[in-house]
Amino acid sequence: MDNTRILIYDGSFNGFLTAVFKAFEERINVADIQRNGQAQNALFSDTEIIFTQMDKAKRVWNGVQNKSNTAIKNIYFAFLSEHKGIELLLYRYIQKLFASEVSVHSDYSDTIVLKISQLAKNVGREKHRMEAFVRFQMTKDAIYFANIEPDFNVLPLISKHFRSRYVDQHWLIYDIKRKYGLYYNLQTVEMVSLDLNEVYANSIHKSDRFLAEEYSYQDLWANYFRSTHIKSRINKKLHTQHIPKRYWKYLSEKKQAV
């Protein structure tokens, strides 16, 4: 009997790990692992819905972590890359980890290991840039708000940074590309989904939700930036290497240049 199947999961990381556990436990010949809503049937393959089970997801997590801390970090970061076909790629990667007596996470001669490492590095770079370039604006509800549109799904990775840095302030960071955000209420960070219209999400300066004092501060900062910017000393190539143009929209001093 053919045991080839496409596993359909809910899109969460724990859902993916549950699918991995299912595949190993039942010795399934995995044709693909796909997110619910994005699934496409393949010829000669049955599909099976996988329901997230935290205990099974945790067993996979612990098993990989026992193999290598670097490997589990690479898996999580690469998963957040949202790269097309990442689930099957990660499943093959995990298979290699469990099949080998030695650590394979640094065997870059293996194309799968190399690809996962590259994706994880790209996501890590995006995480650090979001932490550096995100700028908040004070709303009339006394909440510091920032909207972002990162290349990768890095919100889960930047939560710790902003919680420790702005521990005494209510703040909300919203990913307008993925339509969810993180809200800190002085005690916990919660995942939220808001109905942000295009003006609110993309044209914050035109919204009456923000304090006039905030605009004054931003204008002051922009003017200072322009006054200290000596054109003859500008190394544009080096400048854009440190602050790529796609991040300028997050910076008060750069908004007029966007």
Side-chain angles (χ1 to χ4, degrees):
M1 182 178 177
D2 187 14
N3 198 28
T4 301
R5 273 178 266 172
I6 296 174
L7 305 181
I8 312 297
Y9 75 109
D10 62 6
S12 69
F13 184 62
N14 285 319
F16 165 71
L17 293 181
T18 304
V20 172
F21 181 92
K22 178 89 171 178
F24 275 91
E25 183 182 45
E26 298 184 12
R27 301 181 182 274
I28 298 171
N29 181 17
V30 177
D32 202 2
I33 302 176
Q34 300 175 358
R35 296 181 181 224
N36 189 29
Q38 299 177 350
Q40 296 179 343
N41 291 335
L43 221 53
F44 310 118
S45 297
D46 294 327
T47 60
E48 180 176 352
I49 303 294
I50 304 298
F51 296 99
T52 300
Q53 294 178 265
M54 295 301 297
D55 57 331
K56 293 181 178 179
K58 190 172 182 179
R59 286 180 62 179
V60 176
W61 174 276
N62 290 339
V64 175
Q65 194 171 44
N66 288 336
K67 284 282 186 178
S68 167
N69 285 323
T70 300
I72 196 63
K73 177 184 175 181
N74 284 349
I75 289 170
Y76 185 46
F77 276 46
F79 177 83
L80 295 175
S81 73
E82 303 173 325
H83 180 76
K84 185 177 181 180
I86 187 60
E87 293 90 351
L88 187 60
L89 199 62
L90 284 173
Y91 176 66
R92 302 299 182 212
Y93 180 81
I94 293 171
Q95 280 184 311
K96 290 176 181 290
L97 287 173
F98 286 128
S100 176
E101 293 296 327
V102 297
S103 181
V104 299
H105 74 268
S106 58
D107 180 13
Y108 301 128
S109 64
D110 187 298
T111 56
I112 292 179
V113 173
L114 178 62
K115 184 64 176 179
I116 295 300
S117 177
Q118 290 172 335
L119 289 171
K121 185 177 293 185
N122 290 341
V123 171
R125 187 181 299 115
E126 186 81 338
K127 167 189 177 293
H128 291 306
R129 284 175 170 168
M130 285 294 108
E131 291 172 347
F133 299 145
V134 165
R135 297 291 185 269
F136 288 100
Q137 293 178 278
M138 174 71 87
T139 69
K140 292 183 178 180
D141 299 324
I143 297 173
Y144 285 92
F145 175 85
N147 64 323
I148 63 174
E149 196 173 3
D151 290 345
F152 311 113
N153 184 21
V154 295
L155 264 186
L157 302 178
I158 66 177
S159 172
K160 183 179 179 180
H161 169 83
F162 286 102
R163 179 174 179 175
S164 61
R165 187 173 180 182
Y166 301 102
V167 66
D168 58 346
Q169 299 167 356
H170 289 84
W171 52 259
L172 169 63
I173 305 174
Y174 197 83
D175 186 335
I176 60 177
K177 183 177 180 180
R178 294 163 186 85
K179 296 181 173 57
Y180 84 101
L182 297 177
Y183 172 63
Y184 176 61
N185 61 10
L186 301 183
Q187 295 181 336
T188 60
V189 177
E190 302 172 357
M191 187 179 297
V192 297
S193 181
L194 304 175
D195 183 16
L196 295 182
N197 58 41
E198 186 174 357
V199 173
Y200 185 52
N202 298 312
S203 303
I204 293 177
H205 283 292
K206 298 178 182 179
S207 174
D208 62 359
R209 294 174 182 265
F210 296 88
L211 295 176
E213 291 84 350
E214 181 67 25
Y215 301 133
S216 299
Y217 171 78
Q218 290 195 13
D219 290 340
L220 180 66
W221 177 250
N223 289 333
Y224 169 77
F225 178 79
R226 285 195 299 272
S227 67
T228 56
H229 226 51
I230 303 174
K231 291 184 178 181
S232 61
R233 296 182 182 177
I234 297 175
N235 184 334
K236 290 185 178 180
K237 184 177 180 181
L238 181 63
H239 186 67
T240 53
Q241 283 179 351
H242 288 295
I243 310 178
K245 286 187 176 181
R246 62 195 176 90
Y247 297 102
W248 288 11
K249 59 189 173 183
Y250 303 121
L251 306 177
S252 301
E253 63 273 24
K254 288 288 192 180
K255 285 186 180 295
Q256 292 184 9
V258 176

